């Protein structure tokens, strides 16, 4: 629901286009051109969260909410030395884990989610991260974004498209959707992006969103998708340029 969306998503909703696809925005040749440009610009991008197992990726993804990957990558190596297995996390007190992950922000909710997920894994999944969307969504603190990251990156399973703040913003800027929730944006993207591209598309757009199509003042003059984009907040837009 809009009132629960993080500030970054609210900003994206305000600044991105409101009406998609009235000029062939979803035409197959345009979608193909976007995918081709992403492939050429980002041929080998992968998940930026350091991990050695599906469980470590799950924890890192939970910690990455409203936090940079760089910060998460500083916290997790220490964390996984202290607590090597899901059983170790399942036995932790809320207070102890909060102190370990405090620097990632929202540490109370994150600690609750991680301990809850660890306890559920131990109780119901023999301590192993499950490989299905439904089973992942049964874990405390795991919604579709986290489940898609784990399925795609840890298991190579295309369960859907990861819609984080970058994918959400860019899908709207490119008029691939006009939806206002990550869940509905994902449904739209799953209809227009071929299934075999869901995993790579997610990685590429997240990378693109960090490096080029950033939230404020996107680097449109060096954007590989510039000729395909008519976003109202393009920084090559004369009206926008006057504001800068
Ligand atoms: S032209 Fe600008 S707004 Fe459009 S996709 Fe590229 S960086 Fe983003």
């Amino acid at each position: 629901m809009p009132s629960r969306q993080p500030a970054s998503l609210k900003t994206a909703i305000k600044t991105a286009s409101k009406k998609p696809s009235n000029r062939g925005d979803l035409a197959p040749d345009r979608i193909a051109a976007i995918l081709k440009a992403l492939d050429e610009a980002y041929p080998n991008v992968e998940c930026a969260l350091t991990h050695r197992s599906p469980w470590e990726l799950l924890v890192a993804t939970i910690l990455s909410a409203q936090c940079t990957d760089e910060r998460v990558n500083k916290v997790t190596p220490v964390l996984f030395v202290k607590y090597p297995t899901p059983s170790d996390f399942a036995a932790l007190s809320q207070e102890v884990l909060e102190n370990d992950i405090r620097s990632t922000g929202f540490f109370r909710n994150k600690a609750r989610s991680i301990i809850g997920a660890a306890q559920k894994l131990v109780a119901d999944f023999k301590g192993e991260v499950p490989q299905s969307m439904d089973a992942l969504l049964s874990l405390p603190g795991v919604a579709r974004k986290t489940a898609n990251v784990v399925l795609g990156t840890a298991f190579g399973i295309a369960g859907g498209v990861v819609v984080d703040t970058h994918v959400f913003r860019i899908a709207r800027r490119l008029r691939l959707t006009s939806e206002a929730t990550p869940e509905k944006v994902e449904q739209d993207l799953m209809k227009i992006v071929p299934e075999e591209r869901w995993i790579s598309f997610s990685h590429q757009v997240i990378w693109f969103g960090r490096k080029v199509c950033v939230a404020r003042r996107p680097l449109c003059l060096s954007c590989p998708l510039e000729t395909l984009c008519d976003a109202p907040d393009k920084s090559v837009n004369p009206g926008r340029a006057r504001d800068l």
Side-chain angles (χ1 to χ4, degrees):
M1 297 199 306
S3 59
R4 289 184 161 176
Q5 286 162 344
S8 51
L9 288 190
K10 287 181 183 165
T11 303
I13 292 169
K14 274 188 203 159
T15 57
S17 57
K18 290 195 166 51
K19 298 245 182 213
S21 72
N22 56 354
R23 289 166 299 141
D25 293 319
L26 303 184
D29 57 347
R30 180 173 185 265
I31 304 299
I34 289 172
L35 297 177
K36 182 166 181 280
L38 287 171
D39 269 349
E40 288 171 357
Y42 309 106
N44 299 308
V45 290
E46 293 180 350
C47 179
L49 293 168
T50 305
H51 61 282
R52 298 169 301 178
S53 68
W55 166 247
E56 290 191 0
L57 180 59
L58 176 58
V59 172
T61 307
I62 291 172
L63 292 176
S64 71
Q66 301 289 299
C67 181
T68 65
D69 289 347
E70 290 75 17
R71 165 58 50 192
V72 173
N73 287 341
K74 284 184 181 153
V75 170
T76 48
V78 180
L79 202 60
F80 295 129
V81 168
K82 287 174 87 171
Y83 318 116
T85 68
S87 297
D88 296 317
F89 281 90
L92 286 177
S93 74
Q94 171 84 14
E95 187 181 8
V96 166
L97 186 54
E98 283 180 5
N99 283 329
D100 285 316
I101 64 173
R102 185 174 294 266
S103 65
T104 68
F106 299 95
F107 54 89
R108 291 194 179 88
N109 281 344
K110 291 177 182 177
R112 196 172 302 117
S113 294
I114 292 168
I115 292 171
Q119 290 174 341
K120 178 97 175 160
L121 280 194
V122 171
D124 294 350
F125 298 101
K126 299 180 179 171
E128 299 288 332
V129 176
Q131 300 189 28
S132 78
M133 178 64 76
D134 286 347
L136 281 166
L137 292 178
S138 75
L139 303 177
V142 175
R144 281 195 66 93
K145 185 197 86 170
T146 299
N148 276 324
V149 169
V150 172
L151 285 175
T153 299
F155 300 121
I157 297 171
V161 176
V162 176
V163 178
D164 72 346
T165 184
H166 301 295
V167 178
F168 182 90
R169 176 180 71 252
I170 291 163
R172 290 173 56 88
R173 275 179 172 161
L174 290 173
R175 298 179 193 260
L176 301 178
T177 182
S178 63
E179 294 292 354
T181 67
E183 293 77 15
K184 290 188 173 174
V185 168
E186 184 191 358
Q187 287 170 18
D188 279 355
L189 291 176
M190 289 168 72
K191 287 178 200 147
I192 58 175
V193 176
E195 186 173 341
E196 68 271 17
R197 289 295 317 275
W198 289 352
I199 298 173
S200 59
F201 175 82
S202 303
H203 289 317
Q204 289 167 337
V205 177
I206 290 168
W207 197 257
F208 176 54
R210 288 197 182 114
K211 302 294 181 188
V212 179
C213 193
V214 294
R216 298 190 63 223
R217 301 188 183 185
L219 307 178
C220 305
L221 291 173
S222 55
C223 172
L225 303 182
E226 196 276 323
T227 58
L228 296 161
C229 176
D230 193 27
D233 54 344
K234 270 175 81 167
S235 54
V236 290
N237 179 309
R240 171 72 177 162
R242 280 197 297 275
D243 296 337
L244 299 179

